[in-house]
């Protein structure tokens, strides 16, 4: 059976190995100072989607992302690896979205895409680490969901068999399509970009990415596949009150980078004396007991 697969992907600031400029004076992530990358867990999800495409001839993989026009780079990275198409949700009304507003926007876009068999996304994004968007999308669409996926083993007769890596071990589950799957970062890494696909799609852009004097304007007329899908709130029939900042009940006041000093820590051995001393200290400080 052929499958229509949508991969949820996000362009995120690279918060790994960050330096002193990673945070603003207000205590939020300094996105301007950090390179933008394809969210790592979402790359694992893309690999699972591409494997399904290979196993089921006639299947298609599309990359769905939300962000400013420059987030179109995420779709290109997907095309370079073997995806067939992509959709960029970009609108000022989407700005400032928390997980609730983000999942609402993605769910409305998936409804517009229509007849999707499997939605696959990373477990969480490194700029938030909430792991909430995938399950919320499933809930809003009324679909089955499998989280903590390590590998989609097979899809047969409308049922997916999936191996999950959870606390305490590994389990294999089955779930009927249509289905939302969130993939762990410990799943198989995504394949590298294919040189032929890079050459084919290197000029693929969303209309809002293009400068007024774009030198490749004739190319877009000759090759329609180089024009990526770009949708606004109105295009997906979204409710502005549920999008972006307006639809976000969560407000992040500040993010703090805590660095423990040596004086704030102590080293204990497994000796009875050290353990008894620790217990006494915890009791004296009313931490336990």
């Amino acid at each position: 059976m052929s499958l229509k697969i949508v991969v949820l992907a996000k362009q995120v600031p690279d918060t790994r190995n960050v330096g002193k400029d990673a945070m603003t004076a207000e205590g939020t992530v300094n996105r301007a100072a950090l390179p933008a990358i394809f969210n790592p867990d979402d790359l694992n999800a893309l690999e699972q989607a591409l494997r399904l495409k290979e196993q089921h001839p006639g299947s298609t993989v599309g990359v769905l992302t939300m962000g400013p026009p420059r987030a179109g780079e995420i779709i290109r990275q997907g095309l370079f690896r073997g995806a067939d198409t992509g959709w960029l949700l970009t609108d000022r009304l989407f700005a400032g979205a928390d997980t609730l507003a983000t999942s609402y926007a993605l769910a409305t876009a998936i409804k517009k895409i229509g007849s999707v068999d499997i939605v696959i996304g990373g477990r969480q994004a490194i700029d938030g680490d909430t792991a909430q968007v995938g399950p919320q999308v499933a809930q809003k669409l009324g679909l089955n969901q499998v989280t903590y996926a390590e590998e989609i083993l097979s899809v047969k007769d409308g049922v997916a068999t999936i191996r999950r890596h959870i606390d305490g071990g590994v389990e294999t589950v089955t779930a009927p399509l249509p289905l939302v799957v969130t993939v762990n970062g410990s799943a198989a890494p995504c394949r590298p970009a294919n040189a032929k696909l890079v050459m084919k799609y290197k000029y693929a852009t969303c209309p809002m990415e293009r400068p007024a004097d774009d030198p490749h304007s004739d190319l877009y007329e000759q090759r329609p596949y180089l024009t990526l899908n770009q949708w606004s709130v109105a295009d997906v029939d979204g409710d502005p009150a549920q999008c972006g900042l307006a639809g976000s009940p969560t407000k992040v006041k500040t993010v703090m980078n805590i660095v423990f000093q040596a004086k704030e820590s102590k080293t204990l051995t497994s000796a009875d004396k050290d353990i008894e001393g620790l217990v006494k200290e915890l009791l004296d400080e009313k931490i336990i007991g």
Side-chain angles (χ1 to χ4, degrees):
M1 62 178 292
S2 62
L3 301 170
K4 189 173 184 179
I5 306 166
V6 171
V7 176
L8 304 180
K10 185 180 182 182
Q11 187 181 61
V12 295
D14 191 354
T15 56
R16 304 167 300 181
N17 304 315
V18 296
K20 63 179 182 179
D21 297 326
M23 309 296 289
T24 65
E26 292 74 28
T28 58
V29 175
N30 186 359
R31 295 176 182 270
L34 299 174
I37 62 170
F38 202 121
N39 182 56
D41 283 14
D42 296 339
L43 277 173
N44 297 96
L46 176 60
E47 176 61 23
Q48 293 300 309
L50 295 175
R51 291 185 180 190
L52 286 177
K53 177 184 173 182
E54 293 170 345
Q55 296 164 9
H56 297 269
S59 297
T60 59
V61 174
V63 177
L64 173 61
T65 188
M66 185 176 80
R70 67 174 181 271
E73 175 63 20
I74 295 302
I75 299 177
R76 283 188 290 278
Q77 289 297 323
L79 295 172
F80 294 163
R81 290 170 166 83
D84 302 283
T85 188
W87 305 269
L88 172 64
L89 297 177
T90 186
D91 190 319
R92 293 188 67 85
L93 293 175
F94 288 131
D98 66 358
T99 59
L100 187 68
T102 298
S103 62
Y104 171 78
L106 295 174
T108 57
I110 293 169
K111 289 179 183 177
K112 181 177 176 66
I113 293 167
S115 303
V116 176
D117 295 301
I118 304 180
V119 177
I120 308 178
R123 185 174 74 89
Q124 63 186 28
I126 60 173
D127 63 342
D129 291 336
T130 63
Q132 294 173 352
V133 171
Q136 286 181 358
V137 168
Q139 190 277 331
K140 287 178 171 59
L141 293 174
L143 300 182
N144 302 300
Q145 62 175 297
V146 175
T147 56
Y148 299 99
E150 194 87 343
E151 182 180 3
I152 301 176
L153 300 172
S154 67
V155 176
K156 185 178 180 181
D157 299 327
V159 176
T161 302
I162 301 169
R163 185 175 71 242
R164 306 175 71 220
H165 190 177
I166 58 176
D167 287 344
V170 176
E171 67 177 9
T172 300
V173 299
T174 60
L177 307 184
L179 174 69
V180 174
V181 181
T182 57
V183 179
N184 284 344
S186 56
C190 194
R191 64 197 64 188
N194 179 286
K196 290 184 177 179
L197 293 175
V198 171
M199 295 304 294
K200 179 178 179 180
Y201 290 111
K202 65 180 180 179
Y203 294 122
T205 55
C206 300
M208 287 181 66
E209 289 185 276
R210 301 171 188 167
D213 57 346
D214 195 320
H216 307 296
S217 56
D218 292 341
L219 194 61
Y220 299 124
E221 295 181 8
Q222 299 166 13
R223 304 175 187 178
Y225 62 83
L226 293 179
T227 298
L228 305 180
N229 298 294
Q230 173 187 299
W231 289 346
S232 65
V233 171
D235 290 329
V236 296
D237 298 322
D239 177 4
Q242 297 186 61
C243 295
L245 197 59
S248 301
T250 305
K251 301 294 186 291
V252 178
K253 182 178 179 181
T254 186
V255 178
M256 300 179 67
N257 186 17
I258 306 294
V259 179
F260 287 103
Q261 304 297 321
K263 65 181 181 181
E264 299 175 22
S265 63
K266 61 178 63 177
T267 301
L268 301 174
T269 70
S270 59
D272 290 345
K273 181 179 179 182
D274 280 359
I275 295 174
E276 290 172 1
L278 174 62
V279 172
K280 183 178 185 305
E281 182 179 343
L282 294 175
L283 287 170
D284 291 344
E285 296 293 332
K286 309 298 183 184
I287 297 175
I288 62 173

